[in-house]
Amino acid sequence: MDVRAWLGGIRLSGFMVIMMGLVVLAAFVLVPTIGTYVDQRQQIAALEEAVQLSREEVAELESQRERWEDPAYITTQARERLYYVKPGEVVYLVDDDLPPELEPQEQAPISDELEAADADWMTKLVRSVTEAGLAQSVAPVTIGIPDPEPSSTPTP
């Protein structure tokens, strides 16, 4: 009953109705404006971040340009990238210089018929050459010579 008494005590005047209408109208006008303001602030923040990244990239490119003005850096890059050497120098290139953790662990077969060899071919080549050089007897060359036909008569 307290609520009914309270609601019964509220009187609506013309001034109060006009003020309520103005508050509702202000809410309808300001809500889209506030949404636009928030969107624009987010765009400004994103653009400021992009400008900062661009400034960092420009600073990196300027430092790289300064490095390229140094003759020692140019010489180093030519030696590393293009394999330039000074007269009289000997260069050794290492093809398989990956650390063991970066090497591929499992290799897929090359094709259905061919697969990678399990053994080291260089070791087999060296072993074959040394065994051939140490052999005591040499087999006769039979390439191009027809095989003898077996005789039909038994030998005693």
Side-chain angles (χ1 to χ4, degrees):
M1 291 242 184
D2 226 6
V3 175
R4 285 186 183 183
W6 182 77
L7 285 176
I10 296 177
R11 295 184 188 183
L12 292 176
S13 65
F15 177 76
M16 191 171 174
V17 171
I18 291 174
M19 291 307 288
M20 290 289 272
L22 286 176
V23 168
V24 170
L25 180 65
F28 279 126
V29 170
L30 291 179
V31 167
T33 307
I34 292 172
T36 304
Y37 174 76
V38 170
D39 289 342
Q40 288 177 349
R41 293 305 302 169
Q42 289 175 349
Q43 288 177 351
I44 289 171
L47 290 173
E48 286 176 348
E49 184 178 343
V51 166
Q52 181 63 29
L53 290 174
S54 297
R55 285 183 182 154
E56 291 172 0
E57 185 178 348
V58 166
E60 176 64 30
L61 290 173
E62 285 177 351
S63 69
Q64 188 175 4
R65 184 183 66 192
E66 290 173 4
R67 282 186 298 207
W68 279 104
E69 291 175 358
D70 183 18
Y73 182 76
I74 294 172
T75 303
T76 303
Q77 292 300 313
R79 291 170 72 88
E80 289 178 2
R81 293 183 182 186
L82 304 174
Y83 304 112
Y84 281 11
V85 294
K86 293 183 180 179
E89 284 185 338
V90 178
V91 177
Y92 297 99
L93 293 178
V94 178
D95 287 335
D96 191 18
D97 60 347
L98 287 176
E101 60 271 3
L102 294 180
E103 289 182 3
Q105 299 299 325
E106 295 181 22
Q107 295 181 355
I110 298 169
S111 69
D112 293 337
E113 297 85 25
L114 299 175
E115 291 188 15
D118 292 336
D120 184 21
W121 65 270
M122 187 60 141
T123 306
K124 287 185 175 182
L125 176 68
V126 170
R127 188 178 303 134
S128 173
V129 169
T130 55
E131 287 177 2
L134 296 175
Q136 297 297 325
S137 63
V138 178
V141 178
T142 59
I143 300 174
I145 302 173
D147 291 335
E149 295 186 25
S151 60
S152 58
T153 59
T155 56

